[in-house]
Amino acid sequence: AVVSPQSSGSSGINAEYGVREVTPHLSRSKAAQVQNLENLLANLRDEDKSRTEQYKVAKDELDELVASECVLCGEMIIQMIDKPFLTEDEMEFERLKAEWL
C-alpha cells in the first residue's frame, strides 16, 4: 500500500495499517476505489512535483475512504462480533504458556 507519511497528522505506518486492515471489509466498489487511489498516488509520487495538488486531493480521498470504517467501532467490527479475538493457534499457545508458568 502506498501512503504518505504526512497523512492527517498520523504516521505513514499507521495510515498504511489502516488501509490494510480496513480494505478487506469495505464494499467491492469502495475497495476498488482504495486500490485505484493507491495506484494513482504511487504514480504521482514517481512523477514531478507539479502535480502536488492532485496528490493531495487523491490522498485526502483515500484517507476519507479508510476513515469511513473504524477498525474499533465501525460496521466491520459489528459484523465480526461472533468471531474470536484469538485464532486457534493463539489460544493453544496461551493454554500451553499458562501450563508452563
Side-chain angles (χ1 to χ4, degrees):
V2 176
V3 180
S4 167
Q6 295 86 14
S7 63
S8 305
S10 66
S11 73
I13 293 169
N14 289 339
E16 185 175 329
Y17 176 80
V19 170
R20 187 177 63 239
E21 291 300 311
V22 170
T23 301
H25 304 284
L26 295 174
S27 67
R28 284 186 178 178
S29 63
K30 283 188 177 183
Q33 280 182 284
V34 167
Q35 184 63 49
N36 289 339
L37 288 167
E38 285 185 308
N39 291 338
L40 174 64
L41 290 170
N43 291 334
L44 289 176
R45 190 176 275 180
D46 293 339
E47 294 177 6
D48 64 4
K49 299 295 180 186
S50 65
R51 297 175 126 178
T52 304
E53 185 60 28
Q54 186 180 7
Y55 180 89
K56 183 183 178 326
V57 168
K59 179 68 181 104
D60 289 346
E61 189 176 338
L62 177 61
D63 288 346
E64 188 175 317
L65 277 169
V66 172
S68 71
E69 184 59 56
C70 176
V71 295
L72 299 176
C73 62
E75 184 65 27
M76 69 183 226
I77 221 56
I78 293 169
Q79 296 299 324
M80 296 172 57
I81 193 75
D82 61 336
K83 295 190 177 24
F85 289 113
L86 300 176
T87 65
E88 291 292 326
D89 290 339
E90 291 168 329
M91 287 189 286
E92 179 65 14
F93 173 77
E94 292 299 321
R95 186 186 65 73
L96 290 172
K97 185 172 82 173
E99 284 179 12
W100 284 89
L101 298 176

